[in-house]
Amino acid sequence: MARIDAALAASMDQFRQVTGQSARETTDLVTAAARLTEAGGKRIRPQLFYWGFRAGGEPDSDGVIELAVAIELFHVFALVHDDLMDRADTRRGVPTAHKQLATLHRERAWDGDADHFGLSAGILLGDALMVWADRVVNANPLPEDRRERFRLAYDDMRLELISGQYLDIVSGHSGDSSMSAALRLARLKSGNYSISHPLRLGAIAGGVGQDTIRAFEEFGAALGEAFQMHDDVLGVFGSAAEVGKPVGEDIRQGKRTTLIAATLARATRASTDRLLELAGDPGLSESDVDEARRIIESSGALEEVRAMLRERVRAARRTLASMTLDQRVRQALHDLIGVVARHY
């Protein structure tokens, strides 16, 4: 973890230098991104990549750490664009990148609309982060027999995340509030790219055999869904310190999460009508969010989702226990289960 943090900080410094060569002003973008990376993050994705790589018996190297950093850089790209789409104000307890850039506009007393400037600059920052992640990947070539397969899997991850983000937008407008739709969204938008893909990419990079990769995919599918369910629960019933942004934003944004799907399937007609009336209103007061919480909890949906989450954590643990792995790899992945879904 410390090595990944140090390599990420060094990569951001290099990113700033390279972008500044084209135009000094573009270092503003990197400064906004660096503030997000310095604010924290569990580094789940690069850790999964690293231990997937080590499962093949390959020795540790600076190159594998650099590739793990590329996975985290792609994640930062996703956060920046996700915050734009959600019109979010905070991330990891600090202002989102586009809000930082809007503030910069105001502090410099520039002409025009500061908020629109922030949104526009945020789009460019996300694009630049994706390019920089590519550059890091290209600077750390794998053995020839793994290179093309890794690149295809890496592109698959990126395209699937974009599909998941679009599905997230669609879900807020299509009216599909079924559990199957919520689980599909959980897999495509978050679970796969957070768990399955980083682990699989690391395994491909490390020359891991197909049987182990298939088992990793099974492990990742279960843990990925648990990851998103845990996020769904924290987004409504957690604390701002835990989620790094105001709690209740999923309700205000009308997200069709597993909690909402379970509530709509369980609650009375009057309760579901009221929940749908509340969901999607960005101006909801804290008392309105509390009312939504009471509807969700009284329907039994919270406990249902927690039970689903526990079952997926158990499935991930069973798969991990069945695999033939180096003890360090097994222990690291076991520990990451606890990071992904604490208290379950």
Side-chain angles (χ1 to χ4, degrees):
M1 177 75 167
R3 287 176 66 203
I4 290 170
D5 281 344
L8 177 60
S11 186
M12 294 301 290
D13 285 343
Q14 189 180 7
F15 184 27
R16 181 182 286 105
Q17 292 171 19
V18 170
T19 55
Q21 289 172 4
S22 300
R24 178 181 54 79
E25 291 85 351
T26 55
T27 60
D28 294 336
L29 301 178
V30 186
T31 298
R35 189 175 179 191
L36 290 180
T37 61
E38 291 162 2
K42 302 179 186 70
R43 312 288 189 248
I44 290 168
R45 296 157 190 83
Q47 289 186 74
L48 285 166
F49 177 91
Y50 176 83
W51 290 110
F53 179 92
R54 295 300 304 276
E58 290 281 341
D60 194 356
S61 69
D62 291 341
V64 69
I65 295 295
E66 291 293 325
L67 287 171
V69 164
I71 302 300
E72 183 68 10
L73 289 166
F74 176 72
H75 175 52
V76 181
F77 143 77
L79 294 183
V80 169
H81 277 194
D82 189 54
D83 288 339
L84 284 167
M85 288 182 281
D86 288 348
R87 303 176 186 178
D89 292 336
T90 58
R91 167 74 68 175
R92 295 176 174 173
V94 301
T96 52
H98 66 276
K99 286 294 183 182
Q100 292 181 51
L101 292 159
T103 297
L104 179 149
H105 180 287
R106 293 187 181 95
E107 289 174 348
R108 295 178 179 175
W110 285 344
D111 297 332
D113 185 332
D115 289 331
H116 182 71
F117 172 86
L119 293 171
S120 301
I123 292 169
L124 295 173
L125 171 55
D127 293 345
L129 281 161
M130 184 181 274
V131 172
W132 188 250
D134 271 2
R135 183 159 170 163
V136 174
V137 168
N138 294 335
N140 293 275
L142 294 167
E144 191 172 349
D145 61 330
R146 304 172 198 171
R147 196 175 304 160
E148 182 178 358
R149 188 173 170 218
F150 175 85
R151 187 67 210 204
L152 288 171
Y154 177 65
D155 288 344
D156 284 345
M157 174 186 72
R158 300 192 301 166
L159 289 170
E160 184 175 278
L161 172 64
I162 290 167
S163 296
Q165 290 282 36
Y166 179 65
L167 188 63
D168 189 29
I169 296 171
V170 168
S171 70
H173 298 271
S174 68
D176 187 350
S177 299
S178 64
M179 182 60 77
S180 61
L183 288 173
R184 179 175 173 235
L185 176 59
R187 286 190 296 272
L188 292 179
K189 186 191 174 217
S190 183
N192 287 356
Y193 118 87
S194 296
I195 309 295
S196 295
H197 284 305
L199 190 54
R200 181 168 179 261
L201 282 165
I204 291 171
V208 172
Q210 275 300 110
D211 288 346
T212 300
I213 288 177
R214 279 191 289 270
F216 275 160
E217 288 170 350
E218 183 179 341
F219 170 86
L223 190 59
E225 287 192 5
F227 176 87
Q228 185 55 50
M229 289 177 186
H230 187 51
D231 197 54
D232 291 347
V233 171
L234 284 182
V236 178
F237 292 94
S239 67
E242 289 176 297
V243 299
K245 57 186 178 181
V247 176
E249 289 303 289
D250 284 355
I251 303 295
R252 293 186 177 94
Q253 293 166 9
K255 299 278 187 182
R256 293 306 192 252
T257 65
T258 52
L259 274 179
I260 296 299
T263 304
L264 295 179
R266 283 171 161 268
T268 64
R269 178 60 181 272
S271 293
T272 58
D273 286 349
R274 179 56 179 158
L275 182 60
L276 290 173
E277 182 182 336
L278 292 167
D281 180 354
L284 286 186
S285 66
E286 283 303 313
S287 63
D288 290 331
V289 172
D290 284 341
E291 182 182 0
R293 287 192 190 99
R294 288 193 295 273
I295 292 170
I296 293 168
E297 193 164 13
S298 64
S299 73
L302 175 59
E303 188 48 46
E304 178 184 343
V305 170
R306 283 175 168 165
M308 293 168 65
L309 197 167
R310 286 191 291 268
E311 175 50 40
R312 282 155 177 80
V313 169
R314 286 193 293 268
R317 287 181 174 140
R318 286 195 299 269
T319 301
L320 183 61
S322 72
M323 298 176 68
T324 302
L325 294 170
D326 177 272
Q327 185 55 37
R328 289 176 302 170
V329 176
R330 184 189 308 281
Q331 187 60 52
L333 293 177
H334 182 272
D335 292 345
L336 283 168
I337 293 174
V339 174
V340 166
R342 295 185 303 280
H343 315 307
Y344 293 94

